[in-house]
Amino acid sequence: AWPTLSPDSQRIAYAAPEAGGDWYVYIASTTGTGEPVRLAMGWAPAWGASGLLAYTGCDAEGVCGIILDNPDDDQPGTRLTDSEQDGAVSWAPAGNLMIYMTNITGNWDLVLLNPQGGVQQLTSDASDEGLPAWSPDGSQLAFVSNRDGNWAVYVMQLDGQNTHRILDLGSSFPGWDSQRLSWSP
């Protein structure tokens, strides 16, 4: 689930459950050579422009959240947030910011994250907002929401302003929180 292509298109990261039900992040070659390598326990990986991988998982102390990891070293990743409900990370095209969804308030909202430190909540409606995706130029965000009573894809500016609906998805959107939204040029 949640496949993501490396910046050089040579590898793919994805999550898969194992027999006990735990999810793990794997990395495989896109050439089909070699066996996939298990990176860590986690799910919903997203590769950034600099080659770092973000995913939802737990650190060595058992505290869960968004983990930032360099898959090319032997060091464990660094936890950036502190809730296993933080996920669906999407990297800014420049690789300097991330946006993710969280439901720590009881409904899903979007939060902007600077990996160097700092978060900014972008939505706070009583509805659900999730599956964020950056525009190719990094100036806008697309996301899904049921804010008008039906599910739809919305677009907003990076500051959370000028939100508008671009595509109706209907009254039901099963499994929406385990999908990924993408924006192509």
Side-chain angles (χ1 to χ4, degrees):
W2 300 287
T4 180
L5 196 59
S6 65
D8 64 5
S9 300
Q10 298 300 305
R11 297 179 291 174
I12 189 166
Y14 61 92
E18 293 197 353
D22 291 329
W23 284 80
Y24 287 85
V25 174
Y26 289 87
I27 297 176
S29 169
T30 56
T31 64
T33 59
E35 291 294 315
V37 175
R38 186 169 81 174
L39 179 68
M41 185 182 287
W43 57 96
W47 231 308
S50 69
L52 295 176
L53 196 62
Y55 59 90
T56 302
C58 303
D59 63 16
E61 288 80 40
V63 180
C64 302
I66 295 173
I67 307 288
L68 185 61
D69 196 359
N70 178 348
D72 297 320
D73 67 18
D74 292 333
Q75 302 301 310
T78 302
R79 185 176 45 81
L80 301 177
T81 68
D82 60 0
S83 173
E84 69 180 312
Q85 301 301 319
D86 299 342
V89 172
S90 179
W91 286 86
N96 58 331
L97 296 171
M98 292 182 257
I99 185 145
Y100 66 95
M101 63 186 219
T102 185
N103 76 349
I104 59 171
T105 62
N107 65 286
W108 293 98
D109 286 307
L110 302 179
V111 177
L112 189 63
L113 170 65
N114 182 332
Q116 305 303 315
V119 296
Q120 175 187 351
Q121 188 167 336
L122 294 182
T123 62
S124 59
D125 295 337
S127 59
D128 290 320
E129 288 85 25
L131 306 182
W134 292 83
S135 65
D137 69 0
S139 68
Q140 297 180 72
L141 297 165
F143 62 97
V144 298
S145 178
N146 61 356
R147 61 177 49 198
D148 293 327
N150 285 313
W151 287 96
V153 176
Y154 291 83
V155 172
M156 71 177 170
Q157 290 178 314
L158 190 54
D159 62 5
Q161 301 299 310
N162 297 327
T163 302
H164 59 280
R165 179 194 308 238
I166 61 167
L167 178 67
D168 290 321
L169 299 173
S171 61
S172 175
F173 192 16
W176 73 272
D177 57 343
S178 62
Q179 299 183 38
R180 188 182 307 256
L181 191 64
S182 296
W183 191 325
S184 68

